[in-house]
Amino acid sequence: QSMLTQPPSTSGAPGQRVTISCSGSDSNIGTNTVNWFQQLPGSAPKLLIYGDSRRPSGVPDRISGSKSGTSASLAINGLQSEDEATYYCATWDVSLNYPWVIFGGGTQLTVL
Amino acid sequence: QVQLVQSGAEVKKPGASVRVSCKAFGYTFTNFHMHWVRQAPGQGLEWMGVINPRHGGTTYAQQFQGRLSMTTDLSTSIVYMDMSSLRSDDTAVYFCMRDAECSATSCFHDWGLYWGQGTLVTVSS
């Protein structure tokens, strides 16, 4: 079955830049745009990036997304303590006989 | 403003069924599909399926087919998620998630902009 692969964890010091990768395949990232979500403990996910690189209103421009081929990345510049959370990439997959949403396994970001 | 408000926590025995509701506020209910996503304790997000409130058409993830049902009540703008034959590994927080807006020819990509607060379903004997 299709998968989106993310590193389980990453970390950075305040003010630094971190990137989180999301690796997929032709049937998902290679065909459809990628959304990124931030989830704080005990809360619903929050949309950070949609359509590969667009930010919803209210998301600061130090957060950005990109995609190349079957991989996508989320970058956070000027890391802040409030960025400590779990981040998920997601997209649609067309490998089955119906379109379905696939999530990456999540990356836990620790701010040192 | 847009809000999705879910029903409260449930405790069920193995083999039982559960219904979780998601009431939509602040937008035209029939203009947006609604997804259900679940998250087991300490685990990631798992897509369950999606419903088109306008005509009730559904798509369910393969692993839930046969025991998952999504329906809507247009008079109250509520989406229901019913799951039967519950097992202990169905213990999770269940979220509703609004899809992106679509025109006749294309869709925006901001699906997941709005989520319900989550409903904990505990399956235990």
Short mmCIF file of all heavy atoms in Angstrom, two decimals, chain A residues 1 33 35 37 39 42-47 50-51 54 56 88 90-92 96 98-105, chain B residues 35 37 39 43-47 50 59-63 65 95 97 99 108-113 115-118:
data_model
loop_
_atom_site.label_atom_id
_atom_site.label_comp_id
_atom_site.label_asym_id
_atom_site.label_seq_id
_atom_site.Cartn_x
_atom_site.Cartn_y
_atom_site.Cartn_z
N GLN A 1 0.84 -1.19 0.00
CA GLN A 1 0.00 0.00 0.00
C GLN A 1 0.88 1.24 0.00
O GLN A 1 1.98 1.24 0.53
CB GLN A 1 -0.91 -0.02 1.23
CG GLN A 1 -1.94 1.10 1.24
CD GLN A 1 -3.15 0.78 2.10
OE1 GLN A 1 -3.35 -0.35 2.52
NE2 GLN A 1 -3.95 1.80 2.36
N THR A 33 -1.31 17.74 -5.14
CA THR A 33 -0.62 18.71 -4.28
C THR A 33 -0.58 18.21 -2.83
O THR A 33 -1.35 17.33 -2.44
CB THR A 33 -1.31 20.08 -4.32
OG1 THR A 33 -2.65 19.95 -3.86
CG2 THR A 33 -1.31 20.64 -5.74
N ASN A 35 -0.49 18.96 1.38
CA ASN A 35 -0.86 19.83 2.50
C ASN A 35 -0.03 19.42 3.71
O ASN A 35 0.33 18.25 3.86
CB ASN A 35 -2.34 19.71 2.82
CG ASN A 35 -3.23 20.37 1.78
OD1 ASN A 35 -2.77 20.73 0.70
ND2 ASN A 35 -4.51 20.50 2.11
N PHE A 37 0.19 19.79 8.03
CA PHE A 37 -0.56 20.08 9.24
C PHE A 37 0.37 20.09 10.45
O PHE A 37 1.32 19.30 10.52
CB PHE A 37 -1.65 19.02 9.46
CG PHE A 37 -2.68 18.97 8.36
CD1 PHE A 37 -2.51 18.14 7.27
CD2 PHE A 37 -3.82 19.77 8.43
CE1 PHE A 37 -3.45 18.10 6.25
CE2 PHE A 37 -4.77 19.73 7.43
CZ PHE A 37 -4.59 18.90 6.33
N GLN A 39 0.16 19.64 14.62
CA GLN A 39 -0.71 19.17 15.69
C GLN A 39 -0.03 19.32 17.03
O GLN A 39 1.04 18.76 17.26
CB GLN A 39 -1.15 17.73 15.46
CG GLN A 39 -2.23 17.28 16.45
CD GLN A 39 -2.71 15.87 16.23
OE1 GLN A 39 -1.95 15.01 15.81
NE2 GLN A 39 -3.99 15.63 16.51
N GLY A 42 -3.25 17.01 22.24
CA GLY A 42 -4.62 17.20 22.69
C GLY A 42 -5.47 18.08 21.81
O GLY A 42 -6.61 18.40 22.17
N SER A 43 -4.93 18.49 20.65
CA SER A 43 -5.66 19.39 19.76
C SER A 43 -5.86 18.76 18.39
O SER A 43 -5.17 17.82 18.01
CB SER A 43 -4.90 20.71 19.58
OG SER A 43 -4.80 21.39 20.80
N ALA A 44 -6.82 19.33 17.65
CA ALA A 44 -6.99 18.92 16.26
C ALA A 44 -5.84 19.46 15.42
O ALA A 44 -5.21 20.46 15.77
CB ALA A 44 -8.32 19.45 15.73
N PRO A 45 -5.54 18.80 14.33
CA PRO A 45 -4.51 19.33 13.43
C PRO A 45 -4.89 20.71 12.89
O PRO A 45 -6.07 21.05 12.78
CB PRO A 45 -4.48 18.30 12.29
CG PRO A 45 -4.99 17.04 12.92
CD PRO A 45 -6.04 17.50 13.88
N LYS A 46 -3.86 21.48 12.57
CA LYS A 46 -4.04 22.82 12.00
C LYS A 46 -3.36 22.86 10.64
O LYS A 46 -2.21 22.43 10.50
CB LYS A 46 -3.40 23.86 12.92
CG LYS A 46 -3.36 25.27 12.34
CD LYS A 46 -2.56 26.21 13.23
CE LYS A 46 -2.38 27.59 12.60
NZ LYS A 46 -1.56 28.48 13.43
N LEU A 47 -4.06 23.36 9.63
CA LEU A 47 -3.50 23.45 8.29
C LEU A 47 -2.45 24.55 8.23
O LEU A 47 -2.74 25.71 8.52
CB LEU A 47 -4.61 23.72 7.27
CG LEU A 47 -4.19 23.80 5.81
CD1 LEU A 47 -3.65 22.46 5.32
CD2 LEU A 47 -5.35 24.27 4.94
N TYR A 50 -1.06 24.49 2.08
CA TYR A 50 -1.89 23.74 1.16
C TYR A 50 -1.44 24.00 -0.27
O TYR A 50 -0.74 24.98 -0.54
CB TYR A 50 -3.38 24.09 1.34
CG TYR A 50 -3.76 25.49 0.92
CD1 TYR A 50 -4.26 25.78 -0.34
CD2 TYR A 50 -3.63 26.56 1.83
CE1 TYR A 50 -4.61 27.06 -0.70
CE2 TYR A 50 -3.97 27.84 1.48
CZ TYR A 50 -4.48 28.09 0.22
OH TYR A 50 -4.82 29.37 -0.15
N GLY A 51 -1.82 23.10 -1.17
CA GLY A 51 -1.41 23.27 -2.55
C GLY A 51 0.09 23.35 -2.71
O GLY A 51 0.59 24.14 -3.52
N ARG A 54 1.19 27.09 -0.45
CA ARG A 54 0.35 28.23 -0.07
C ARG A 54 0.06 28.21 1.42
O ARG A 54 -0.16 27.14 2.00
CB ARG A 54 -0.95 28.22 -0.87
CG ARG A 54 -0.72 28.32 -2.36
CD ARG A 54 -2.03 28.36 -3.12
NE ARG A 54 -1.81 28.49 -4.55
CZ ARG A 54 -2.77 28.69 -5.43
NH1 ARG A 54 -4.03 28.80 -5.03
NH2 ARG A 54 -2.49 28.78 -6.72
N PRO A 56 -2.44 29.38 4.52
CA PRO A 56 -3.74 29.97 4.91
C PRO A 56 -3.50 31.27 5.65
O PRO A 56 -2.42 31.53 6.18
CB PRO A 56 -4.34 28.91 5.84
CG PRO A 56 -3.57 27.66 5.60
CD PRO A 56 -2.21 28.10 5.16
N TYR A 88 2.52 16.79 10.04
CA TYR A 88 2.10 15.74 9.11
C TYR A 88 1.98 16.29 7.69
O TYR A 88 1.40 17.36 7.49
CB TYR A 88 0.72 15.19 9.50
CG TYR A 88 0.67 14.47 10.82
CD1 TYR A 88 0.35 15.14 11.99
CD2 TYR A 88 0.92 13.10 10.89
CE1 TYR A 88 0.29 14.48 13.22
CE2 TYR A 88 0.86 12.43 12.11
CZ TYR A 88 0.55 13.12 13.26
OH TYR A 88 0.50 12.46 14.46
N ALA A 90 0.32 15.41 3.89
CA ALA A 90 -0.85 14.66 3.43
C ALA A 90 -1.14 15.03 1.99
O ALA A 90 -0.86 16.15 1.54
CB ALA A 90 -2.06 14.97 4.31
N THR A 91 -1.75 14.09 1.29
CA THR A 91 -2.15 14.35 -0.09
C THR A 91 -3.18 13.30 -0.48
O THR A 91 -3.56 12.45 0.33
CB THR A 91 -0.94 14.29 -1.03
OG1 THR A 91 -1.35 14.66 -2.36
CG2 THR A 91 -0.33 12.89 -1.10
N TRP A 92 -3.65 13.37 -1.71
CA TRP A 92 -4.55 12.35 -2.23
C TRP A 92 -3.71 11.28 -2.95
O TRP A 92 -2.66 11.57 -3.52
CB TRP A 92 -5.54 12.97 -3.22
CG TRP A 92 -6.58 13.82 -2.58
CD1 TRP A 92 -6.48 15.15 -2.26
CD2 TRP A 92 -7.88 13.42 -2.16
NE1 TRP A 92 -7.63 15.59 -1.68
CE2 TRP A 92 -8.52 14.55 -1.60
CE3 TRP A 92 -8.59 12.21 -2.22
CZ2 TRP A 92 -9.83 14.51 -1.11
CZ3 TRP A 92 -9.89 12.17 -1.73
CH2 TRP A 92 -10.50 13.31 -1.17
N LEU A 96 -5.53 3.10 -5.71
CA LEU A 96 -6.63 2.14 -5.60
C LEU A 96 -7.73 2.53 -6.59
O LEU A 96 -7.58 3.48 -7.34
CB LEU A 96 -7.15 2.13 -4.17
CG LEU A 96 -6.11 1.78 -3.09
CD1 LEU A 96 -6.71 1.90 -1.70
CD2 LEU A 96 -5.55 0.39 -3.33
N TYR A 98 -10.30 4.03 -6.03
CA TYR A 98 -10.96 5.23 -5.57
C TYR A 98 -9.88 6.18 -5.03
O TYR A 98 -8.83 5.73 -4.58
CB TYR A 98 -11.97 4.91 -4.45
CG TYR A 98 -11.36 4.23 -3.23
CD1 TYR A 98 -10.82 4.98 -2.19
CD2 TYR A 98 -11.30 2.84 -3.15
CE1 TYR A 98 -10.24 4.37 -1.08
CE2 TYR A 98 -10.72 2.22 -2.04
CZ TYR A 98 -10.20 2.98 -1.02
OH TYR A 98 -9.63 2.36 0.06
N PRO A 99 -10.11 7.50 -5.12
CA PRO A 99 -9.15 8.45 -4.54
C PRO A 99 -9.29 8.46 -3.02
O PRO A 99 -10.40 8.38 -2.49
CB PRO A 99 -9.57 9.79 -5.16
CG PRO A 99 -11.02 9.62 -5.45
CD PRO A 99 -11.25 8.18 -5.77
N TRP A 100 -8.17 8.53 -2.35
CA TRP A 100 -8.19 8.53 -0.90
C TRP A 100 -7.11 9.44 -0.37
O TRP A 100 -6.13 9.74 -1.06
CB TRP A 100 -8.04 7.11 -0.33
CG TRP A 100 -6.84 6.35 -0.80
CD1 TRP A 100 -6.60 5.86 -2.05
CD2 TRP A 100 -5.70 5.97 0.00
NE1 TRP A 100 -5.39 5.20 -2.09
CE2 TRP A 100 -4.82 5.25 -0.86
CE3 TRP A 100 -5.34 6.17 1.32
CZ2 TRP A 100 -3.60 4.74 -0.41
CZ3 TRP A 100 -4.13 5.64 1.77
CH2 TRP A 100 -3.28 4.94 0.91
N VAL A 101 -7.28 9.90 0.87
CA VAL A 101 -6.32 10.80 1.49
C VAL A 101 -5.30 9.97 2.26
O VAL A 101 -5.66 9.07 3.02
CB VAL A 101 -7.02 11.79 2.44
CG1 VAL A 101 -5.98 12.63 3.20
CG2 VAL A 101 -7.97 12.69 1.66
N ILE A 102 -4.04 10.30 2.06
CA ILE A 102 -2.96 9.59 2.75
C ILE A 102 -2.18 10.59 3.58
O ILE A 102 -1.88 11.71 3.12
CB ILE A 102 -2.06 8.86 1.72
CG1 ILE A 102 -0.95 8.08 2.43
CG2 ILE A 102 -1.48 9.80 0.68
CD1 ILE A 102 -0.17 7.17 1.49
N PHE A 103 -1.87 10.21 4.81
CA PHE A 103 -1.07 11.04 5.71
C PHE A 103 0.30 10.41 5.91
O PHE A 103 0.43 9.18 5.95
CB PHE A 103 -1.74 11.15 7.08
CG PHE A 103 -2.98 11.99 7.12
CD1 PHE A 103 -4.24 11.41 6.96
CD2 PHE A 103 -2.91 13.36 7.33
CE1 PHE A 103 -5.39 12.17 7.00
CE2 PHE A 103 -4.06 14.14 7.37
CZ PHE A 103 -5.30 13.55 7.21
N GLY A 104 1.31 11.26 6.07
CA GLY A 104 2.60 10.76 6.51
C GLY A 104 2.52 10.34 7.96
O GLY A 104 1.54 10.61 8.65
N GLY A 105 3.56 9.67 8.43
CA GLY A 105 3.56 9.15 9.79
C GLY A 105 3.76 10.21 10.86
O GLY A 105 3.57 9.93 12.05
N HIS B 35 -14.83 14.84 5.54
CA HIS B 35 -14.03 13.65 5.79
C HIS B 35 -14.08 13.27 7.26
O HIS B 35 -14.36 14.11 8.12
CB HIS B 35 -12.55 13.93 5.46
CG HIS B 35 -12.28 14.35 4.06
ND1 HIS B 35 -11.74 13.51 3.11
CD2 HIS B 35 -12.46 15.56 3.45
CE1 HIS B 35 -11.59 14.17 1.97
NE2 HIS B 35 -12.02 15.41 2.15
N VAL B 37 -11.38 11.40 10.00
CA VAL B 37 -9.99 11.01 10.23
C VAL B 37 -9.89 10.56 11.67
O VAL B 37 -10.49 11.18 12.56
CB VAL B 37 -9.03 12.21 9.99
CG1 VAL B 37 -7.59 11.83 10.33
CG2 VAL B 37 -9.14 12.70 8.54
N GLN B 39 -7.32 9.01 15.04
CA GLN B 39 -5.97 8.99 15.58
C GLN B 39 -5.96 8.13 16.84
O GLN B 39 -6.52 8.53 17.88
CB GLN B 39 -5.51 10.41 15.89
CG GLN B 39 -4.06 10.52 16.33
CD GLN B 39 -3.60 11.96 16.39
OE1 GLN B 39 -4.35 12.85 16.79
NE2 GLN B 39 -2.36 12.21 15.99
N GLN B 43 -0.48 7.65 18.14
CA GLN B 43 -0.24 7.30 16.73
C GLN B 43 -0.54 8.47 15.79
O GLN B 43 -0.93 9.55 16.24
CB GLN B 43 -1.12 6.10 16.34
CG GLN B 43 -0.88 4.87 17.20
CD GLN B 43 0.55 4.38 17.13
OE1 GLN B 43 1.11 4.18 16.05
NE2 GLN B 43 1.17 4.22 18.30
N GLY B 44 -0.37 8.22 14.49
CA GLY B 44 -0.60 9.25 13.49
C GLY B 44 -2.04 9.33 13.04
O GLY B 44 -2.94 8.70 13.62
N LEU B 45 -2.26 10.11 12.00
CA LEU B 45 -3.60 10.35 11.47
C LEU B 45 -3.94 9.30 10.41
O LEU B 45 -3.10 8.95 9.58
CB LEU B 45 -3.66 11.75 10.85
CG LEU B 45 -3.32 12.89 11.80
CD1 LEU B 45 -3.16 14.20 11.04
CD2 LEU B 45 -4.41 13.05 12.86
N GLU B 46 -5.18 8.83 10.47
CA GLU B 46 -5.64 7.79 9.54
C GLU B 46 -6.94 8.24 8.89
O GLU B 46 -7.94 8.45 9.59
CB GLU B 46 -5.83 6.45 10.24
CG GLU B 46 -6.29 5.33 9.33
CD GLU B 46 -6.47 4.01 10.06
OE1 GLU B 46 -6.76 4.03 11.28
OE2 GLU B 46 -6.33 2.96 9.43
N TRP B 47 -6.95 8.36 7.57
CA TRP B 47 -8.16 8.74 6.84
C TRP B 47 -9.14 7.59 6.80
O TRP B 47 -8.75 6.44 6.52
CB TRP B 47 -7.79 9.16 5.43
CG TRP B 47 -8.90 9.66 4.58
CD1 TRP B 47 -9.47 10.90 4.62
CD2 TRP B 47 -9.58 8.95 3.55
NE1 TRP B 47 -10.45 11.00 3.67
CE2 TRP B 47 -10.55 9.81 2.99
CE3 TRP B 47 -9.47 7.66 3.02
CZ2 TRP B 47 -11.39 9.44 1.95
CZ3 TRP B 47 -10.29 7.28 1.97
CH2 TRP B 47 -11.25 8.17 1.46
N VAL B 50 -15.01 9.80 3.18
CA VAL B 50 -15.54 11.12 2.87
C VAL B 50 -16.98 10.99 2.37
O VAL B 50 -17.35 9.98 1.77
CB VAL B 50 -14.65 11.82 1.80
CG1 VAL B 50 -14.59 11.03 0.51
CG2 VAL B 50 -15.10 13.26 1.56
N THR B 59 -17.23 7.60 -0.02
CA THR B 59 -16.07 6.77 -0.31
C THR B 59 -15.44 6.41 1.02
O THR B 59 -15.16 7.30 1.83
CB THR B 59 -15.03 7.52 -1.18
OG1 THR B 59 -15.62 7.88 -2.42
CG2 THR B 59 -13.82 6.62 -1.43
N TYR B 60 -15.26 5.12 1.23
CA TYR B 60 -14.68 4.64 2.49
C TYR B 60 -13.32 4.01 2.23
O TYR B 60 -13.12 3.33 1.22
CB TYR B 60 -15.59 3.61 3.15
CG TYR B 60 -16.99 4.09 3.43
CD1 TYR B 60 -18.10 3.27 3.17
CD2 TYR B 60 -17.23 5.35 3.98
CE1 TYR B 60 -19.39 3.70 3.43
CE2 TYR B 60 -18.52 5.78 4.25
CZ TYR B 60 -19.59 4.96 3.96
OH TYR B 60 -20.87 5.40 4.21
N ALA B 61 -12.41 4.20 3.15
CA ALA B 61 -11.12 3.52 3.07
C ALA B 61 -11.34 2.01 3.12
O ALA B 61 -12.24 1.52 3.83
CB ALA B 61 -10.22 3.96 4.21
N GLN B 62 -10.53 1.32 2.37
CA GLN B 62 -10.68 -0.13 2.20
C GLN B 62 -10.78 -0.87 3.53
O GLN B 62 -11.62 -1.77 3.69
CB GLN B 62 -9.46 -0.62 1.42
CG GLN B 62 -9.55 -2.01 0.83
CD GLN B 62 -8.41 -2.19 -0.15
OE1 GLN B 62 -8.49 -1.84 -1.31
NE2 GLN B 62 -7.30 -2.75 0.34
N GLN B 63 -9.99 -0.46 4.52
CA GLN B 63 -9.92 -1.20 5.79
C GLN B 63 -11.18 -1.04 6.63
O GLN B 63 -11.37 -1.78 7.60
CB GLN B 63 -8.68 -0.79 6.60
CG GLN B 63 -8.63 0.66 7.01
CD GLN B 63 -7.87 1.53 6.02
OE1 GLN B 63 -7.97 1.32 4.82
NE2 GLN B 63 -7.13 2.50 6.52
N GLN B 65 -14.38 -0.71 5.05
CA GLN B 65 -15.56 -1.07 4.26
C GLN B 65 -16.28 -2.25 4.90
O GLN B 65 -15.68 -3.24 5.29
CB GLN B 65 -15.15 -1.35 2.81
CG GLN B 65 -14.76 -0.07 2.08
CD GLN B 65 -14.26 -0.30 0.66
OE1 GLN B 65 -14.37 -1.40 0.13
NE2 GLN B 65 -13.73 0.73 0.05
N PHE B 95 -12.01 12.58 14.23
CA PHE B 95 -12.17 13.97 13.81
C PHE B 95 -12.98 14.04 12.53
O PHE B 95 -12.78 13.22 11.61
CB PHE B 95 -10.81 14.62 13.50
CG PHE B 95 -9.86 14.76 14.64
CD1 PHE B 95 -8.83 13.84 14.83
CD2 PHE B 95 -9.95 15.83 15.52
CE1 PHE B 95 -7.92 13.99 15.86
CE2 PHE B 95 -9.05 15.99 16.56
CZ PHE B 95 -8.03 15.06 16.74
N MET B 97 -13.38 16.58 9.23
CA MET B 97 -12.49 17.53 8.57
C MET B 97 -13.16 17.99 7.28
O MET B 97 -13.54 17.16 6.44
CB MET B 97 -11.16 16.84 8.23
CG MET B 97 -10.17 17.70 7.45
SD MET B 97 -8.73 16.78 6.88
CE MET B 97 -9.39 15.92 5.45
N ASP B 99 -13.68 19.44 3.56
CA ASP B 99 -12.94 19.42 2.31
C ASP B 99 -12.81 20.85 1.77
O ASP B 99 -13.34 21.80 2.35
CB ASP B 99 -13.68 18.55 1.30
CG ASP B 99 -12.78 17.99 0.21
OD1 ASP B 99 -11.62 18.43 0.12
OD2 ASP B 99 -13.23 17.11 -0.54
N PHE B 108 -10.35 23.98 -4.99
CA PHE B 108 -9.24 24.58 -4.27
C PHE B 108 -8.52 23.45 -3.53
O PHE B 108 -8.98 22.31 -3.51
CB PHE B 108 -9.75 25.66 -3.32
CG PHE B 108 -10.28 26.85 -4.03
CD1 PHE B 108 -11.64 26.99 -4.27
CD2 PHE B 108 -9.43 27.86 -4.47
CE1 PHE B 108 -12.14 28.09 -4.94
CE2 PHE B 108 -9.93 28.97 -5.13
CZ PHE B 108 -11.28 29.08 -5.37
N HIS B 109 -7.41 23.79 -2.89
CA HIS B 109 -6.62 22.73 -2.26
C HIS B 109 -6.56 22.85 -0.74
O HIS B 109 -5.83 22.09 -0.10
CB HIS B 109 -5.20 22.75 -2.82
CG HIS B 109 -5.14 22.51 -4.30
ND1 HIS B 109 -5.36 21.27 -4.85
CD2 HIS B 109 -4.92 23.35 -5.34
CE1 HIS B 109 -5.26 21.35 -6.16
NE2 HIS B 109 -5.00 22.60 -6.49
N ASP B 110 -7.34 23.79 -0.17
CA ASP B 110 -7.23 24.02 1.27
C ASP B 110 -8.12 23.08 2.08
O ASP B 110 -8.77 23.51 3.04
CB ASP B 110 -7.49 25.47 1.62
CG ASP B 110 -8.84 25.96 1.14
OD1 ASP B 110 -9.48 25.29 0.30
OD2 ASP B 110 -9.28 27.03 1.64
N TRP B 111 -8.17 21.81 1.67
CA TRP B 111 -8.91 20.84 2.50
C TRP B 111 -8.16 20.67 3.81
O TRP B 111 -6.94 20.74 3.86
CB TRP B 111 -9.08 19.51 1.77
CG TRP B 111 -7.83 18.93 1.17
CD1 TRP B 111 -7.35 19.14 -0.09
CD2 TRP B 111 -6.90 18.04 1.79
NE1 TRP B 111 -6.20 18.45 -0.28
CE2 TRP B 111 -5.89 17.74 0.84
CE3 TRP B 111 -6.83 17.44 3.05
CZ2 TRP B 111 -4.83 16.89 1.12
CZ3 TRP B 111 -5.77 16.58 3.33
CH2 TRP B 111 -4.79 16.33 2.37
N GLY B 112 -8.91 20.49 4.87
CA GLY B 112 -8.28 20.40 6.19
C GLY B 112 -8.13 21.73 6.88
O GLY B 112 -7.50 21.82 7.94
N LEU B 113 -8.69 22.80 6.30
CA LEU B 113 -8.62 24.11 6.97
C LEU B 113 -9.48 24.10 8.24
O LEU B 113 -9.17 24.78 9.22
CB LEU B 113 -9.08 25.20 6.02
CG LEU B 113 -9.01 26.65 6.52
CD1 LEU B 113 -7.59 27.02 6.91
CD2 LEU B 113 -9.53 27.60 5.45
N TRP B 115 -11.47 21.67 11.18
CA TRP B 115 -11.59 20.37 11.83
C TRP B 115 -12.55 20.48 13.02
O TRP B 115 -12.66 21.54 13.64
CB TRP B 115 -10.24 19.92 12.39
CG TRP B 115 -9.19 19.60 11.37
CD1 TRP B 115 -8.55 20.49 10.55
CD2 TRP B 115 -8.64 18.33 11.08
NE1 TRP B 115 -7.63 19.84 9.77
CE2 TRP B 115 -7.65 18.51 10.08
CE3 TRP B 115 -8.85 17.03 11.57
CZ2 TRP B 115 -6.90 17.44 9.54
CZ3 TRP B 115 -8.10 15.97 11.06
CH2 TRP B 115 -7.14 16.19 10.05
N GLY B 116 -13.21 19.39 13.32
CA GLY B 116 -13.92 19.31 14.59
C GLY B 116 -12.92 19.18 15.73
O GLY B 116 -11.72 18.99 15.51
N GLN B 117 -13.43 19.26 16.94
CA GLN B 117 -12.55 19.23 18.11
C GLN B 117 -12.08 17.82 18.47
O GLN B 117 -11.18 17.65 19.29
CB GLN B 117 -13.25 19.88 19.33
CG GLN B 117 -14.20 18.98 20.08
CD GLN B 117 -15.61 18.95 19.51
OE1 GLN B 117 -15.82 19.30 18.35
NE2 GLN B 117 -16.56 18.53 20.33
N GLY B 118 -12.70 16.82 17.84
CA GLY B 118 -12.34 15.44 18.12
C GLY B 118 -13.27 14.80 19.12
O GLY B 118 -13.76 15.46 20.04
#
